[in-house]
Amino acid sequence: MGVEIERKFLVASDHWRSHVTRSVRMAQGYINDMAALREARQNASVRVRIAGDEAFLNLKSREPGPSRQEFDYPIPVADAEALLALCVGGRVQKVRHYIPQDDLTWEVDEFDGDNAGLVVAELELPAVDAAFARPAWLGEEVTDEQRYYNLALAERPYSAWSARERS
Amino acid sequence: MGVEIERKFLVASDHWRSHVTRSVRMAQGYINDMAALREARQNASVRVRIAGDEAFLNLKSREPGPSRQEFDYPIPVADAEALLALCVGGRVQKVRHYIPQDDLTWEVDEFDGDNAGLVVAELELPAVDAAFARPAWLGEEVTDEQRYYNLALAERPYSAWSARERS
């Protein structure tokens, strides 16, 4: 179990691409009913993710703010495929690009499928108030905007957003 | 991933006790909202179980009949304790007694806590129509009685059953 502190940003330009050292295609879905989680009848999300040739079962507590308990377990890819078939809500597909910066790593998620057009940069931090350098390509912070979370994107993808929500 | 074929029975007497070769205390809970699963807004249960000094995360598809897909992953006990705190519904506590019989093993669950007084014998079979010997202590089959499932017991324990439901 780890406690995850993650900040999310939009990107202001495509200049992040030249800094990418590794990219992995991901497909993920949620076993949990979305409404049950949103309405606090369930306290943790249950996500199945295939990342390249690996797969993971991930549980994340639902708590306000940027810090939450996270549990991540490797599972066989064949299991993940069977579990994805049991998922509810939409499947979220993306390419995750890794950009090292000092001791940290930016993860830039370039979505496709129903979320095509959306690019979100995430940074996992060792502490809530940890300092970090902002690269020139970094855009507006959206850490507190629920609609950008993968969980929300599975239920209501980018293609369903209004023009105002996209800006 | 395995496909689980399980038959459940009540016990007709206490004579099973003399055949027990091993007993393990278990505590388990469910991460998933019970209503979401019952109403098919979610397709798999997500169970956390501590069994003796081991712990497991278990996902089971919700399908009619005795056969279902099951996924079982060992996890650290400390993770299981943190996950149990995130569970909804009641915690189900029991001692599981193992009784070998030919190539099969009876699992006799003796519940305590809110389910004290309930004893259920389960047999996992290699095929839906597999033959097996019925020991003299075996009672009525309850495979198709949803209220005897651990999932149901977490939501509506034996202590809440009517006299008619108990018989």
Side-chain angles (χ1 to χ4, degrees):
Chain A
M1 193 258 285
V3 174
E4 182 185 61
I5 300 155
E6 203 173 73
R7 294 179 67 173
K8 279 180 195 283
F9 299 83
L10 300 181
V11 294
S13 76
D14 251 9
H15 291 148
W16 56 269
R17 292 192 189 274
S18 58
H19 304 285
V20 171
T21 57
R22 189 165 65 93
S23 299
V24 178
R25 173 159 289 281
M26 296 183 173
Q28 63 185 44
Y30 289 87
I31 291 287
N32 59 276
D33 174 42
M34 299 298 173
L37 196 69
R38 197 172 45 234
E39 293 159 15
R41 284 178 279 111
Q42 173 162 348
N43 303 320
S45 61
V46 181
R47 189 187 68 200
V48 181
R49 171 183 282 174
I50 298 177
D53 55 1
E54 299 178 304
F56 302 90
L57 187 62
N58 176 285
L59 290 89
K60 215 181 271 193
S61 63
R62 185 157 171 89
E63 300 170 40
S67 168
R68 48 186 61 81
Q69 293 180 75
E70 181 168 12
F71 308 83
D72 205 49
Y73 306 110
I75 63 173
V77 171
D79 283 20
E81 281 166 356
L83 284 168
L84 275 177
L86 294 171
C87 282
V88 290
R91 188 175 296 202
V92 174
Q93 297 187 121
K94 63 190 178 186
V95 177
R96 173 163 285 184
H97 305 278
Y98 295 89
I99 300 175
Q101 174 185 290
D102 306 325
D103 288 346
L104 303 171
T105 300
W106 287 98
E107 296 175 353
V108 179
D109 285 350
E110 186 177 16
F111 292 85
D112 54 33
D114 288 342
N115 291 295
L118 180 62
V119 178
V120 176
E122 296 180 351
L123 190 62
E124 198 163 327
L125 293 170
V128 174
D129 55 355
F132 62 94
R134 298 194 177 217
W137 50 261
L138 203 67
E140 180 196 349
E141 180 159 11
V142 295
T143 301
D144 296 327
E145 307 281 341
Q146 292 298 320
R147 70 181 179 282
Y148 287 98
Y149 283 74
N150 283 273
L151 187 67
L153 293 173
E155 193 176 12
R156 190 159 168 276
Y158 190 63
S159 60
W161 292 17
S162 66
R164 184 155 173 275
E165 286 176 309
R166 292 186 184 206
S167 65
Chain B
M1 195 258 284
V3 174
E4 182 184 59
I5 300 154
E6 202 173 72
R7 295 179 66 172
K8 279 179 195 282
F9 299 83
L10 300 181
V11 295
S13 76
D14 252 8
H15 291 147
W16 55 270
R17 292 192 188 275
S18 58
H19 305 285
V20 171
T21 58
R22 188 165 66 93
S23 299
V24 178
R25 173 158 291 280
M26 295 182 175
Q28 63 186 46
Y30 290 87
I31 291 287
N32 60 277
D33 175 42
M34 298 298 173
L37 196 68
R38 197 171 48 234
E39 294 159 15
R41 285 177 278 112
Q42 173 163 349
N43 303 320
S45 61
V46 181
R47 189 187 71 201
V48 181
R49 173 183 280 173
I50 298 176
D53 55 2
E54 298 178 305
F56 302 90
L57 188 61
N58 176 286
L59 290 88
K60 214 181 273 192
S61 64
R62 186 159 171 86
E63 300 169 41
S67 168
R68 48 187 60 80
Q69 292 180 75
E70 182 169 11
F71 308 82
D72 205 49
Y73 306 110
I75 62 172
V77 171
D79 282 20
E81 282 166 356
L83 284 167
L84 275 177
L86 294 172
C87 282
V88 290
R91 188 174 297 202
V92 174
Q93 297 187 123
K94 63 190 177 187
V95 177
R96 173 162 285 183
H97 305 280
Y98 295 89
I99 300 175
Q101 174 185 288
D102 308 323
D103 288 346
L104 303 171
T105 301
W106 287 97
E107 296 174 351
V108 180
D109 285 349
E110 187 177 15
F111 292 84
D112 54 32
D114 288 343
N115 291 295
L118 180 62
V119 179
V120 176
E122 296 181 351
L123 190 62
E124 197 163 328
L125 293 170
V128 174
D129 56 354
F132 61 94
R134 297 190 178 221
W137 50 260
L138 203 66
E140 180 196 348
E141 180 160 10
V142 295
T143 301
D144 295 326
E145 306 282 342
Q146 291 298 322
R147 69 182 180 280
Y148 288 98
Y149 283 73
N150 283 273
L151 188 67
L153 294 172
E155 191 176 13
R156 190 160 167 276
Y158 190 63
S159 60
W161 292 16
S162 67
R164 185 158 173 275
E165 286 176 308
R166 290 186 184 207
S167 66

